Amino acid sequence: KNKMKFIRHISFDDDAFILRDLEGLKEFAKKYKENVNLPFFVSGVNPMLISEEKMVVLLSAGMDRVRMGIQSGSVKAKAIYHRYIPNDRIINATKIINKYKNRLLLTAYDLILDNPFESKEDVIETIKLLSELPAPFTLNLFSLTFYPGTDIYREAKAMGFIKDDVKEVYKKHYHTISVNYLNFIILLYTIHKIPNWMLNLLLKKSIVNKDIRIPKILFKFTTLGGHARRGINFLLNGDPYTLKRLLRTMF
């Protein structure tokens, strides 16, 4: 802090950060407050590890932002990812986080899309999970990328989901999600939670089965809206850099 006075915020990109027991977090909070005393962000939070007691301790130390991995609401996808977290535990974790929304920047939840092992019904399970999460929140959306050497890569190759490793693996960007109808519905949640009456209409079987083509410009405009919402939230809370960074990724 003495040498780099421009540092105003700390990020902990550690998916085991909140795994520490309550006493360990209390010790961290005390020392951090005494020696650093800067607002901080905890990324990679596991829903199974969230508790009200841990939230209170971290908030007292200066935590002002949380990012939690959900990945999917689909039972099938969770089995593929070896991530057996019941949806009710996910909902409970988001309710605990949401209780402190006035002390946090906009909370983001991670999702993995474009899983060829999933059916439309599996994706709809994820959308229905989103409908049960308390607002406000936004989403970090990732397109499933098959890394060579992993079990899921070998399974995808065996099933014929990967035909060109260079194009579909090595040159693929995990933030470039496919432009399709169900992904578009999920993308809308980055801007605002969809009212239940509207969601019921959007998820009617007759509509979903039509495979409605979403114009790329509308997809991009909606992505921009999600970035703008997050960036403006940060701007209003004293962070002008995130909005600039997010908008730069779009143009």
Side-chain angles (χ1 to χ4, degrees):
K1 283 176 66 178
N2 291 334
K3 291 181 178 179
M4 294 175 278
K5 298 182 185 300
F6 56 86
I7 294 178
R8 299 182 181 180
H9 198 274
I10 302 293
S11 292
F12 291 99
D13 284 312
D14 176 4
D15 58 7
F17 185 88
I18 206 167
L19 177 63
R20 293 165 177 81
D21 62 24
L22 189 59
E23 291 308 309
L25 288 177
K26 285 180 178 178
E27 182 183 4
F28 159 80
K30 181 176 181 295
K31 292 181 178 179
Y32 185 89
K33 195 77 175 173
E34 290 172 354
N35 297 294
V36 183
N37 199 28
L38 289 172
F40 65 91
F41 161 48
V42 178
S43 173
V45 172
N46 185 312
M48 296 292 283
L49 304 175
I50 287 283
S51 71
E52 189 144 354
E53 293 81 5
K54 288 184 176 182
M55 283 292 294
V56 169
V57 169
L58 292 172
L59 287 165
S60 73
M63 183 177 71
D64 67 352
R65 184 179 163 210
V66 176
R67 173 180 163 192
M68 187 173 79
I70 292 176
Q71 316 315 346
S72 179
S74 157
V75 174
K76 182 191 291 184
K78 289 177 186 180
I80 291 170
Y81 303 146
H82 302 289
R83 191 177 176 88
Y84 304 98
I85 302 176
N87 284 350
D88 60 342
R89 292 294 298 269
I90 294 171
I91 294 168
N92 184 60
T94 62
K95 286 180 177 178
I96 292 172
I97 293 170
N98 188 257
K99 184 175 179 179
Y100 301 97
K101 62 185 177 183
N102 293 332
R103 297 174 63 181
L104 294 167
L105 291 165
L106 191 61
T107 297
Y109 302 126
D110 293 355
L111 290 182
I112 299 175
L113 308 182
D114 301 334
N115 184 338
F117 294 98
E118 287 188 299
S119 65
K120 288 180 181 179
E121 288 71 25
D122 293 317
V123 179
I124 289 172
E125 283 185 57
T126 296
I127 296 172
K128 288 182 176 179
L129 172 61
L130 295 177
S131 73
E132 297 188 60
L133 306 186
F137 63 86
T138 189
L139 301 173
N140 294 318
L141 303 179
F142 300 90
S143 181
L144 179 59
T145 303
F146 297 105
Y147 288 97
T150 60
D151 289 340
I152 195 172
Y153 169 83
R154 286 186 283 270
E155 291 169 16
K157 286 285 280 188
M159 294 290 291
F161 294 139
I162 302 172
K163 296 180 174 61
D164 184 337
D165 278 52
V166 172
K167 181 180 178 181
E168 298 169 13
V169 177
Y170 294 106
K171 287 188 174 182
K172 180 178 179 180
H173 197 293
Y174 57 74
H175 274 310
T176 307
I177 63 174
S178 300
V179 179
N180 61 54
Y181 181 70
L182 291 179
N183 278 0
F184 178 68
I185 293 177
I186 292 172
L187 186 60
L188 290 174
Y189 277 92
T190 65
I191 301 176
H192 198 277
K193 186 174 176 179
I194 302 172
N196 285 336
W197 66 267
M198 183 183 293
L199 186 62
N200 290 334
L201 177 63
L202 293 171
L203 292 181
K204 275 192 172 182
K205 204 166 188 178
S206 57
I207 297 176
V208 172
N209 289 339
K210 282 183 179 179
D211 286 325
I212 297 172
R213 187 175 180 181
I214 304 296
K216 285 187 178 181
I217 187 67
L218 178 59
F219 213 82
K220 186 166 185 177
F221 182 78
T222 307
T223 303
L224 178 61
H227 285 349
R229 180 199 180 199
R230 185 181 317 201
I232 290 169
N233 177 267
F234 286 11
L235 178 66
L236 294 175
N237 285 279
D239 173 9
Y241 308 106
T242 298
L243 178 60
K244 181 179 178 182
R245 177 176 58 80
L246 289 171
L247 292 177
R248 192 188 304 129
T249 65
M250 295 294 299
F251 301 104

